[in-house]
Amino acid sequence: DIHMTQSPSSLSASVGDRVTITCRASQSITNYLNWYQQKSGEAPKLLIYGAFNVESGVPTRFSGSGSGTDFTLTINSLQPEDFATYFCQQSYSFPITFGQGTRLEIK
Amino acid sequence: EVPLVESGGGLVKPGGSLRLSCEASEFTFSNSAMNWVRQAPGKGLEWVSYISSGSGYIHYADSLRGRFTISRDNAKKSLYLQMNNLRVEDTAVYYCARVRFYGSGSLGGMVVWGKGTTVTVSS
């Protein structure tokens, strides 16, 4: 199985900040990496697919990069609604696996 | 109208069974591959199972194979998860989610999610 490791596990930031969350795969997944945002009590929301493709309707302040084993989610100019938990997920092979999550909190 | 609605969750004793359903609207269900994903209280996301649009490809999390069975009825626009021999550690919110493909059929993320149904396994 491909193990996904996110860092940091939690992060404090202020409105207007730029934040970066990283995800590392235990083996190459080329660019089969997806990012989700989950707010408390809600279902996850797909933000980025294929490492860098922004899902329709997602604000342009969200971007993804990386390939192989190392990936990054960047949020430019944090907005109040961005404080949530973020998960990466690989769709390179079954079983599909998720990172453990990064909780983004208001400083 | 909500595109995916799960049902069938509830309280069940260890060793019991439940059948979850997920009814789709607003998209062509018969052309869509689907996943079940679960989330234990206060924990992260755990993928459970995948089924292709025509049921020809099915995959399970290794730890669940043999106890859980995924199926679908495209005529009823419905996805199912039969869960047998339930354990306390199966307690979670169970989500159904539509798979996104991109490019020349590359498997992307899960683009449409239901609100989830809660399964509690307890004596």
Side-chain angles (χ1 to χ4, degrees):
Chain A
D1 298 3
I2 298 174
H3 187 68
M4 308 300 293
T5 304
Q6 285 181 236
S7 60
S9 296
S10 63
L11 175 60
S12 294
S14 300
V15 172
D17 284 354
R18 178 179 189 236
V19 299
T20 299
I21 299 169
T22 63
C23 180
R24 173 165 289 175
S26 60
Q27 66 184 73
S28 176
I29 57 172
T30 63
N31 64 346
Y32 287 89
L33 191 283
N34 311 298
W35 289 99
Y36 299 85
Q37 176 193 69
Q38 186 179 32
K39 297 180 180 179
S40 182
E42 298 183 6
K45 173 186 176 183
L46 180 64
L47 300 174
I48 305 287
Y49 63 93
F52 55 82
N53 300 286
V54 181
E55 180 58 42
S56 175
V58 173
T60 55
R61 61 182 179 273
F62 291 91
S63 63
S65 64
S67 66
T69 60
D70 294 308
F71 301 87
T72 299
L73 173 70
T74 299
I75 312 171
N76 286 301
S77 187
L78 270 174
Q79 298 300 299
E81 61 268 28
D82 299 338
F83 293 93
T85 301
Y86 293 84
F87 295 93
C88 63
Q89 172 242 325
Q90 65 83 15
S91 51
Y92 179 78
S93 67
F94 291 98
I96 290 169
T97 46
F98 289 89
Q100 80 279 14
T102 295
R103 184 174 180 181
L104 178 55
E105 300 175 319
I106 299 175
K107 184 182 288 184
Chain B
E1 193 172 5
V2 180
L4 290 170
V5 178
E6 302 93 339
S7 61
L11 174 63
V12 62
K13 289 181 168 52
S17 298
L18 278 177
R19 189 193 195 207
L20 306 184
S21 299
C22 169
E23 187 170 347
S25 62
E26 295 186 6
F27 62 90
T28 307
F29 180 77
S30 60
N31 292 343
S32 301
M34 301 293 295
N35 282 307
W36 285 101
V37 176
R38 69 183 183 180
Q39 188 168 35
K43 302 297 184 182
L45 300 169
E46 180 185 15
W47 172 76
V48 172
S49 185
Y50 166 95
I51 187 167
S52 61
S53 59
S55 303
Y57 294 95
I58 288 175
H59 297 276
Y60 297 98
D62 292 342
S63 61
L64 302 176
R65 192 177 293 112
R67 295 194 299 124
F68 288 16
T69 302
I70 193 171
S71 63
R72 64 190 296 161
D73 184 334
N74 286 342
K76 294 182 178 180
K77 302 182 79 171
S78 292
L79 174 73
Y80 306 103
L81 186 68
Q82 177 68 43
M83 305 187 297
N84 297 329
N85 192 19
L86 283 161
R87 303 168 180 169
V88 170
E89 54 266 33
D90 295 319
T91 295
V93 175
Y94 285 72
Y95 297 100
C96 61
R98 178 190 181 193
V99 173
R100 187 190 218 298
F101 288 95
Y102 66 101
S104 55
S106 296
L107 186 64
M110 302 177 216
V111 65
V112 180
W113 294 67
K115 294 184 183 298
T117 186
T118 299
V119 172
T120 303
V121 185
S122 175
S123 54

